[in-house]
């Protein structure tokens, strides 16, 4: 199994979001066993946070293989399904960060407004490191609500023929092209043509 250091190497830094994704993936793999080499596991993620990088490294679910499905709900919810059985585990984050002091809120506000002074950065990095450690050390019951069962498997990834957009002269997957004035255009060119009317 991959280690937290492997996840950090891929992502570029350690942070609480990455730690959550690491722990979610550990929990999923405890249930579903082996990491996905091809499309054996499908991950459905409901956010696009740092956690998703950990999910990719740990589980082997990636956009390129078609077994990482993004639903833009802004929720820290992760569902993993095993092919062909449909065995699934849905993991929702229940962990909440500790309450902040007035001083901490002041520093976070300064950071949010663009203050990158040494004092502010030292504070931010120390707090992120402390939260990351809390997540890595917490028991599963403090981090997650877990639901197991059988899930509806999405279709396996398909490979589509590419066609040339006659406007921008770039390739587009044929099913993604849109008909416009009898021609098949890529989405950006189709939207641009529609706006010019």
């Amino acid at each position: 199994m991959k280690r937290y250091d492997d996840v950090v190497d891929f992502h570029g830094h350690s942070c609480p979001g990455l730690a959550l994704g690491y722990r979610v993936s550990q929990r999923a793999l405890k249930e579903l066993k082996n990491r996905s080499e091809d499309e054996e596991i499908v991950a459905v993620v409901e956010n696009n946070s740092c956690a998703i990088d950990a999910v990719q490294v740990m589980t082997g679910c990636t956009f390129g293989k078609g077994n990482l499905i993004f639903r833009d709900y802004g929720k820290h919810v992760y569902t993993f399904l095993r092919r062909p059985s449909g065995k699934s585990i849905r993991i929702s984050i229940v962990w909440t960060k500790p309450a902040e002091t007035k001083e901490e809120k002041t520093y976070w506000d300064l950071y949010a407004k663009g203050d990158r002074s040494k004092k502010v950065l030292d504070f931010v990095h120390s707090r992120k490191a402390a939260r990351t450690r809390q997540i890595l050390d917490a028991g599963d019951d403090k981090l997650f609500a877990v639901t197991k069962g059988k899930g509806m498997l999405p279709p396996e990834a398909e490979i589509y023929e590419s066609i040339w957009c006659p406007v921008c002269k770039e390739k587009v997957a044929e099913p993604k092209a849109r008909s416009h004035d009898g021609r098949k255009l890529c989405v950006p060119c189709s939207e641009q043509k529609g706006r010019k009317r």
Side-chain angles (χ1 to χ4, degrees):
M1 184 179 289
K2 301 281 186 177
R3 298 168 302 126
Y4 185 64
D5 288 345
D6 298 320
V7 171
V8 172
D9 286 345
F10 178 78
H11 186 64
H13 65 261
S14 178
C15 63
L18 193 69
L20 282 171
Y22 175 75
R23 291 297 307 279
V24 162
S25 300
Q26 279 186 317
R27 180 64 188 88
L29 291 173
K30 189 189 298 184
E31 192 70 28
L32 300 177
K33 308 298 180 217
N34 303 329
R35 184 176 186 276
S36 188
E37 294 301 320
D38 193 16
E39 294 181 51
E40 303 87 358
I41 297 175
V42 176
V44 180
V45 298
E46 299 184 22
N47 68 80
N48 60 351
S49 71
C50 299
I52 308 313
D53 280 354
V55 169
Q56 291 182 93
V57 172
M58 293 293 292
T59 67
C61 298
T62 66
F63 283 116
K65 288 193 288 192
N67 62 338
L68 178 62
I69 298 169
F70 170 53
R71 298 207 171 121
D72 195 6
Y73 299 156
K75 295 173 64 175
H76 279 283
V77 175
Y78 310 82
T79 303
F80 300 88
L81 303 105
R82 165 100 26 217
R83 289 189 195 278
S85 69
K87 181 178 183 179
S88 73
I89 180 168
R90 183 180 189 270
I91 303 171
S92 173
I93 303 297
V94 297
W95 180 82
T96 55
K97 64 183 178 184
E100 294 174 344
T101 65
K102 188 175 181 180
E103 180 188 22
E104 289 172 326
K105 287 179 183 175
T106 300
Y107 275 109
W108 283 116
D109 192 45
L110 289 169
Y111 183 76
K113 290 179 179 171
D115 185 337
R116 298 300 185 263
S117 64
K118 181 175 178 0
K119 191 174 182 180
V120 170
L121 286 177
D122 286 349
F123 164 80
V124 167
H125 294 311
S126 72
R127 289 307 183 273
K128 282 185 177 181
R131 286 186 189 154
T132 298
R133 190 78 259 152
Q134 289 169 341
I135 292 165
L136 292 173
D137 292 343
D140 286 356
D141 60 324
K142 300 286 186 217
L143 293 175
F144 318 125
V146 175
T147 308
K148 300 180 208 175
K150 291 258 187 190
M152 186 80 153
L153 282 163
E156 292 190 25
E158 293 186 48
I159 299 172
Y160 298 108
E161 197 67 39
S162 291
I163 61 171
W164 294 96
C165 173
V167 176
C168 67
K169 310 291 189 238
E170 295 173 346
K171 283 189 170 188
V172 59
E174 199 275 332
K176 298 291 182 184
R178 294 185 179 169
S179 292
H180 188 83
D181 295 333
R183 301 182 299 167
K184 288 189 174 185
L185 308 181
C186 68
V187 172
C189 289
S190 174
E191 288 176 351
Q192 195 172 38
K193 291 284 183 189
R195 281 193 296 270
K196 287 182 178 178
R197 288 186 169 172

